[in-house]
């Protein structure tokens, strides 16, 4: 069951400049940064609010680390903008299997590791009215402390 | 001060079919529908979660009521997908003035009426790294009861 807007993924050419825009314009601060080599992105998570399911909603700013990554190719075609949206769930495996059974293409056979130790998968945008849609199960609290 | 992700605005060709997709696929239910003639849209708000500032986060599904509306022109160019993102604030007037003073173009001289009696304005996407960005102050609780 999807219980929150987990994040909005925004593709940008220059992560540092985009982080500075969000800080200077709105006062949003960086909560976490990491490089995901599998996804080919360098990213910053800006925490905007907490949510009624015990989680939080973030902006995820994404800069490609290589031109042939999914985000790199998307940026070359579309320019900067909203790349995907993500819903939070307690069980990404169960939800993605249920959604696959409804005929929506799920892009990974098994969930992969996303931001902050989460488990994630993606749904095909052509099956979701044009919206690249991610499902996220956050890491257990404290999992990033080690 | 912006204190939540208020909504993600998603443009679609057929509102009823898109509402049904979100219901059947994820179990999201319609919280509110309306037609905004000024914006040239028919819309459905799907409430996803409540937020730590006392508000909520929604998906806003938007179907143009005329081809020459902003959303109609955007759809003709881009096809279905994420049209804008919106942040919630207790004072859209003060925040939009402060943001204008930082050199970001604010599209309205004064806030206008948005979904569910809210007050809204938009920031120019070219000043926001490609993201059409809305600021929203919700109507006072109960304002939609009359």
């Amino acid at each position: 069951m999807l219980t929150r807007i987990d994040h909005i993924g925004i593709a940008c050419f220059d992560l540092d400049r985009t982080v500075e825009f969000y800080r200077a314009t709105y006062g949003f601060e960086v909560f976490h940064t990491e490089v995901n080599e599998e996804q080919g992105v360098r990213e910053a998570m800006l925490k905007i609010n907490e949510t009624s399911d015990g989680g939080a909603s973030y902006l995820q700013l994404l800069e490609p680390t290589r031109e042939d990554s999914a985000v790199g190719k998307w940026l070359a075609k579309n320019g900067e903008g909203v790349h995907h949206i993500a819903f939070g769930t307690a069980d990404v495996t169960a939800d993605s299997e249920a959604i696959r059974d409804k005929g929506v293409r799920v892009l990974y056979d098994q969930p992969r590791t996303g931001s902050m130790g989460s488990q994630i998968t993606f749904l095909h945008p052509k099956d979701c009215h044009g919206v690249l849609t991610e499902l996220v199960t956050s890491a257990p609290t404290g999992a990033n402390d080690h």
Side-chain angles (χ1 to χ4, degrees), chain A:
Chain A
M1 185 179 162
L2 310 184
T3 53
R4 70 178 175 280
I5 294 177
D6 186 86
H7 64 266
I8 300 168
I10 296 172
C12 62
F13 291 116
D14 184 320
L15 185 63
D16 296 338
R17 284 188 58 196
T18 308
V19 162
E20 176 55 19
F21 167 79
Y22 279 95
R23 192 201 61 73
T25 309
Y26 308 124
F28 296 156
E29 300 288 349
V30 172
F31 181 79
H32 177 84
T33 60
E34 68 183 90
V35 174
N36 185 320
E37 290 292 357
E38 182 184 14
Q39 305 279 347
V41 293
R42 188 164 79 93
E43 63 176 64
M45 298 292 277
L46 314 183
K47 188 175 181 175
I48 311 302
N49 57 265
E50 296 181 337
T51 55
S52 43
D53 65 348
S57 295
Y58 301 86
L59 298 186
Q60 180 186 54
L61 307 178
L62 299 160
E63 178 195 286
T65 57
R66 49 179 196 271
E67 288 182 5
D68 67 347
S69 64
V71 171
K73 287 190 262 189
W74 189 91
L75 264 174
K77 180 179 176 188
N78 299 287
E80 294 185 316
V82 177
H83 175 261
H84 68 271
I85 68 174
F87 299 114
T89 166
D91 190 342
V92 63
T93 302
D95 280 341
S96 59
E97 288 177 3
I99 288 168
R100 181 184 277 127
D101 287 345
K102 293 173 184 174
V104 174
R105 282 169 284 180
V106 178
L107 300 189
Y108 302 154
D109 287 336
Q110 299 291 331
R112 299 184 187 178
T113 300
S115 301
M116 302 187 285
S118 60
Q119 290 292 297
I120 66 169
T121 197
F122 285 94
L123 310 181
H124 198 301
K126 289 193 177 171
D127 294 345
C128 299
H129 288 267
V131 178
L132 178 59
T133 303
E134 181 180 346
L135 308 181
V136 181
T137 296
S138 300
T141 304
N144 286 304
D145 299 344
H146 304 289

